[in-house]
Amino acid sequence: MEIATRILNGAFLTPEEAYTLFTDASLDTMTLVHEAYQLRKYYYGHKVKLNMILNAKSGICPEDCGYCGQSREMKEKQRYALIPENQITEGAKVAAENEIGTYCIVMSGRGPSDKEVDHITASVERIKAEHPQLKICACLGLANDEQATKLKAAGVDRYNHNLNTSENYHDEVVTTHTYQDRLETIETMKAHHISPCSGVICGMGETDQDIVDMAFALKDIDADSIPVNFLHPIKGTKFGDMNQLTPMRCLRILALFRLINPSKEIRIAGGREVNLRSLQATALMVANSIFVGDYLITGGQPNQLDYDMIQDLVYEIDYGHAENEVKTQ
Ligand code: SF4
């Protein structure tokens, strides 16, 4: 097999090879995990990056994303407007106390108003003054040039805007914005030297080919950080009754993403606990990053279980900006 050795020697998987590896039923998932682990070990050693989410504005969203409990299609239980600055900075304090490397400030909605961006940037300036080591990721939706300029000036390190799915499957997931809209926001952030974080949600009815396409699309946009979400179905959403994932399939997806994006931060994101279940630790042999705490409107597991898992793996917490520290060949 020795795919990892080939990749470490400078080769890249072609889309056709990747599809064959991903779908070949005779190729054991643990063999792929083993290959992916060689790459994870080379680029990140025993380090794990921790991230924490703040849902700074919840629900009240005009978009129709089929996986999301905050969309206009839902009668949200948790809906509130943008929270006050003090609550945003308080969340950063909790993150710093929990050895978190990146604090992710997330807002529901199609994109932020200029007033909301000003509110976020004022909060980020305060956080940077109080916790200069804490990296800040903003996830505010579709954003323009002027907004990116303000976010960069305030000290935002990273912007999350997921591709979510393949270009081919996009319209099955959302109809109120396009795949191209998503790409444009990512490119805008890159143009302002804000580190691009972009990932996917698997288990929404996409095909194996879609999953391979997503991994290559993220390689093409050169995402520094790749959150891989596994659908945690929310009743009442379009995908509320989906049930496509098994722990082994999740591992196979993570291994595929590592083989195609070997040096990138690969984060096991939403749906980790419910989909990987007892294989979460195995998944961290492929991924090098997780969220600690709750997700946007679904709960995570108690923080201590994550710290225990890291200790059991004899891993160490990485506070650094991984994409600036990875080895180059
Ligand atoms: S994912 Fe974001 S844009 Fe889509 S419905 Fe949910 S809050 Fe709105």
Side-chain angles (χ1 to χ4, degrees):
M1 168 74 40
E2 297 185 344
I3 311 166
T5 307
R6 272 173 51 209
I7 292 172
L8 289 173
N9 284 329
F12 297 102
L13 286 187
T14 65
E16 294 73 23
E17 278 177 310
Y19 180 82
T20 302
L21 287 174
F22 188 52
T23 57
D24 181 356
S26 70
L27 181 57
D28 184 51
T29 296
M30 284 304 166
T31 302
L32 279 183
V33 166
H34 173 75
E35 294 300 322
Y37 175 66
Q38 308 304 312
L39 302 172
R40 189 244 194 264
K41 192 166 86 171
Y42 179 83
Y43 287 106
Y44 294 99
H46 284 177
K47 304 240 165 148
V48 181
K49 253 180 104 338
L50 302 184
N51 308 264
M52 189 171 271
I53 292 179
L54 174 80
N55 194 2
K57 178 183 172 190
S58 186
I60 327 168
C61 181
E63 303 296 287
D64 67 354
C65 306
Y67 53 86
C68 180
Q70 306 187 69
S71 101
R72 65 178 179 188
E73 311 298 328
M74 292 291 291
K75 294 188 177 50
E76 310 95 11
K77 291 188 198 123
Q78 298 158 277
R79 45 191 296 166
Y80 48 83
L82 188 54
I83 60 177
E85 270 180 49
N86 278 350
Q87 286 181 32
I88 299 175
T89 54
E90 186 55 31
K93 184 163 167 276
V94 172
E97 288 166 357
N98 280 276
E99 306 181 90
I100 300 299
T102 302
Y103 180 51
C104 308
I105 304 172
V106 185
M107 275 177 49
S108 62
R110 180 180 172 85
S113 67
D114 289 341
K115 201 168 151 209
E116 286 172 329
V117 168
D118 291 344
H119 186 96
I120 296 292
T121 54
S123 308
V124 170
E125 282 167 6
R126 282 176 56 188
I127 294 168
K128 283 289 180 179
E130 289 164 21
H131 310 284
Q133 82 292 356
L134 193 61
K135 306 297 178 201
I136 304 293
C137 178
C139 176
L140 314 179
L142 301 170
N144 61 35
D145 229 26
E146 196 186 323
Q147 292 173 330
T149 304
K150 287 181 178 175
L151 292 169
K152 178 69 184 174
V156 168
D157 299 282
R158 175 174 278 177
Y159 198 88
N160 167 261
H161 201 58
N162 290 337
L163 289 181
N164 282 336
T165 191
S166 70
E167 183 170 15
N168 187 47
Y169 195 63
H170 178 273
D171 293 356
E172 291 295 324
V173 175
V174 55
T175 63
T176 46
H177 57 261
T178 65
Y179 187 82
Q180 190 58 34
D181 289 334
R182 291 199 159 261
L183 284 176
E184 278 169 19
T185 289
I186 295 163
E187 291 305 326
T188 299
M189 295 301 154
K190 283 164 65 178
H192 288 269
H193 305 289
I194 297 177
S195 166
C197 170
S198 187
V200 296
I201 306 171
C202 297
M204 299 193 292
E206 69 284 340
T207 63
D208 289 344
Q209 184 65 58
D210 289 320
I211 291 178
V212 172
D213 290 350
M214 294 177 205
F216 278 98
L218 293 166
K219 176 180 159 76
D220 288 347
I221 63 170
D222 202 19
D224 289 328
S225 173
I226 301 179
V228 179
N229 296 273
F230 298 110
L231 184 72
H232 182 165
I234 296 173
K235 287 285 170 213
T237 59
K238 178 172 180 181
F239 302 130
D241 296 319
M242 281 279 174
N243 183 21
Q244 279 195 322
L245 299 171
T246 62
M248 278 295 186
R249 180 158 175 87
C250 295
L251 285 183
R252 205 165 178 103
I253 292 169
L254 287 168
L256 176 82
F257 273 64
R258 173 64 74 200
L259 293 174
I260 294 171
N261 298 279
S263 68
K264 301 300 186 169
E265 176 188 339
I266 293 186
R267 184 180 325 145
I268 322 169
R272 165 167 59 100
E273 295 86 344
V274 295
N275 286 294
L276 278 156
R277 303 194 284 273
S278 63
L279 297 189
Q280 290 183 62
T282 313
L284 255 188
M285 294 177 180
V286 175
N288 64 302
S289 180
I290 55 172
F291 284 111
V292 172
D294 291 336
Y295 303 99
L296 290 172
I297 58 167
T298 55
Q301 64 189 13
N303 294 4
Q304 192 55 47
L305 292 182
D306 290 336
Y307 297 111
D308 290 348
M309 175 170 63
I310 290 166
Q311 196 174 29
D312 291 348
L313 285 162
V314 200
Y315 280 173
E316 350 168 330
I317 295 171
D318 172 9
Y319 302 94
H321 222 175
E323 71 273 11
N324 295 334
E325 293 174 359
V326 295
K327 293 179 190 180
T328 49
Q329 294 175 63

